[in-house]
Amino acid sequence: MKLAVDCRLVGESGIGTYISEIVPYFLESHSCLLLGSSEQCEPYLKSGNAEFCPCDVPLFSAAETLFFPKHIAGKINECDAFFTPYCNIPSSIRIPIFSTIHDVVFLDVPGLTGTIGRLARKFFYQRAINKSKSIFTVSEFSKSRILANMRCKKNIVVTHSATPNHLRQKVEDAPRTNTILFVGNIKKHKGLSILLEAYEKARQKGFDKKLVIVGNAEHFRTGDAQTIEKLSRIGKETVIFTGKISNDKLRQYYAEADFLVQPSLYEGFGLPPQEALFQGTPSLISDIPVFKEVYEHFPVTFFASGNADDLAQKMLSMKTDRLEIGTNAETYNFKKTSSRILAEIGAQLGK
């Protein structure tokens, strides 16, 4: 089986990490035509099963959706199937298409985008569903929300996301730094505002750990006024912004933290608690449905989603003993994810 694989997001986002982890497993057993830049595809071209197809057409652009270059579409159409790790579908593809919708947060959470942005996303989600033989997603929760928001009679296959290999390597003998860690952004559904409120309440009761936020302070200060006000009130002495950091530095922050706090109000999967586990670091996470699904058998502590009082209390009583990495760490991995994707494609193609 020969697959055309869209690699244009490699190095660009979490979805880029997702596809970069999957491609090597695809290449173990199948020939792949890799679409993207030479920089994005070069790491995989050492495999005898890889063929490079230069493609710099922007995702979701008119050039992709309506006027995709015929010479690239022609090479894709020589393959057995086209796989994209996102919901962008180039025009003029005549072979079976398999696409991915990681979540529909922009449809479920008001205020993340304007009316036009919401309608545009819904258009592309529906277009992907209509044009695909099967849809992949990362959790049963995401599957349920796709079905609730979209017209879909296609097979939706849950393949799960996983911790990338570069974050699975343990940092040995990392000292604890009396910190708690937040990995996310200021978007409403990530719950940073709830965390800051809880952090203030806990500090009033003697909580002395610093809060480390992975990201740039400038990015956070362009967000909602409520969060900005809380950050100003707490002060720079106890809230540390890491700025943009390397993968090695992120592993170090995971390893040095007393625990991770993941206060999300909505996620499609939610990787940081799993990434923290590989460093033996405990996680305090909201009891949203997807976390109850994904982390049911993991050694995590739940708090009532959106409840700053409960989060503050759990922070004060949180155990910070190092965790042993057990078999639950292998519940999700990209080898399994890739196998499920390939199995579904093979079944649909009769191969």
Side-chain angles (χ1 to χ4, degrees):
M1 183 165 67
K2 184 173 182 179
L3 301 176
V5 182
D6 195 339
C7 297
R8 284 176 290 164
L9 278 172
V10 168
E12 299 294 329
S13 65
I15 294 173
T17 300
Y18 180 87
I19 189 62
S20 68
E21 293 287 326
I22 286 173
V23 167
Y25 293 110
F26 282 7
L27 289 169
E28 286 181 1
S29 53
H30 298 282
S31 298
C32 293
L33 176 72
L34 306 180
L35 278 71
S37 68
S38 57
E39 182 181 3
Q40 289 169 318
C41 298
E42 191 276 333
Y44 316 112
L45 298 181
K46 296 176 184 177
S47 167
N49 286 334
E51 179 185 349
F52 174 48
C53 179
C55 181
D56 60 0
V57 180
L59 276 70
F60 302 110
S61 64
E64 177 187 63
T65 308
L66 300 173
F67 310 110
F68 197 64
K70 290 182 180 179
H71 69 283
I72 301 178
K75 290 191 71 71
I76 293 172
N77 289 330
E78 293 173 0
C79 301
D80 294 305
F82 174 75
F83 172 79
T84 171
Y86 203 23
C87 55
N88 59 298
I89 310 290
S91 62
S92 304
I93 295 181
R94 314 208 191 295
I95 58 176
I97 294 168
F98 297 85
S99 61
T100 313
I101 300 176
H102 291 258
D103 60 58
V104 288
V105 62
F106 287 98
L107 305 185
D108 273 339
V109 180
L112 290 184
T113 186
T115 301
I116 294 175
R118 186 178 187 279
L119 290 174
R121 285 172 172 84
K122 190 162 188 174
F123 167 81
F124 282 110
Y125 292 150
Q126 192 65 58
R127 183 173 179 273
I129 290 168
N130 294 345
K131 289 183 172 291
S132 298
K133 292 281 286 185
S134 300
I135 299 291
F136 298 106
T137 194
V138 294
S139 64
E140 291 292 342
F141 172 76
S142 277
K143 177 178 178 178
S144 72
R145 299 314 303 158
I146 293 169
L147 291 171
N149 280 282
M150 310 303 302
R151 299 186 308 278
C152 183
K153 294 185 178 179
K154 302 293 179 66
N155 195 26
I156 301 178
V157 181
V158 175
T159 59
H160 296 124
S161 191
T163 297
N165 286 324
H166 58 258
L167 291 178
R168 297 167 75 92
Q169 303 160 27
K170 187 173 177 58
V171 177
E172 298 295 341
D173 302 319
R176 286 289 179 82
T177 53
N178 199 42
T179 58
I180 62 173
L181 185 66
F182 170 84
V183 180
N185 57 50
I186 200 166
K187 290 176 182 176
K188 179 181 176 182
H189 67 287
K190 292 295 183 180
L192 178 59
S193 180
I194 299 295
L195 171 55
L196 293 175
E197 184 180 345
Y199 184 64
E200 281 188 286
K201 291 174 182 288
R203 281 177 55 79
Q204 290 168 8
K205 296 182 179 180
F207 191 76
D208 65 348
K209 302 183 191 303
K210 292 185 177 182
L211 170 61
V212 175
I213 298 176
V214 174
N216 291 312
E218 292 74 20
H219 293 168
F220 286 86
R221 293 197 176 102
T222 59
D224 64 14
Q226 209 177 34
T227 301
I228 295 167
E229 180 189 347
K230 289 173 184 174
L231 283 169
S232 300
R233 208 164 51 229
I234 295 170
K236 297 179 181 178
E237 296 78 18
T238 55
V239 179
I240 301 166
F241 288 91
T242 66
K244 186 177 180 180
I245 57 175
S246 66
N247 292 324
D248 286 344
K249 192 66 176 176
L250 178 56
R251 287 192 299 123
Q252 185 178 337
Y253 276 117
Y254 273 127
E256 293 176 349
D258 284 22
F259 58 90
L260 169 84
V261 183
Q262 189 77 9
S264 304
L265 303 171
Y266 187 107
E267 293 282 353
F269 187 89
L271 278 172
Q274 189 186 151
E275 294 169 352
L277 177 63
F278 280 95
Q279 304 305 326
T281 298
S283 294
L284 175 57
I285 67 178
S286 55
D287 63 353
I288 56 176
V290 71
F291 283 171
K292 298 291 278 188
E293 171 198 338
V294 170
Y295 293 106
E296 179 183 7
H297 301 297
F298 282 67
V300 299
T301 301
F302 291 101
F303 74 92
S305 175
N307 188 324
D309 290 323
D310 188 49
L311 176 53
Q313 188 56 47
K314 295 285 174 60
M315 287 166 63
L316 287 163
S317 61
M318 185 72 177
K319 292 182 179 179
T320 60
D321 298 337
R322 290 283 183 194
L323 301 173
E324 291 295 325
I325 300 176
T327 55
N328 50 10
E330 292 304 321
T331 300
Y332 310 110
N333 62 65
F334 280 110
K335 184 175 184 178
K336 289 182 182 178
T337 299
S338 304
S339 294
R340 288 173 183 155
I341 292 171
L342 292 172
E344 174 64 13
I345 294 174
Q348 290 288 350
L349 299 183
K351 293 182 178 290

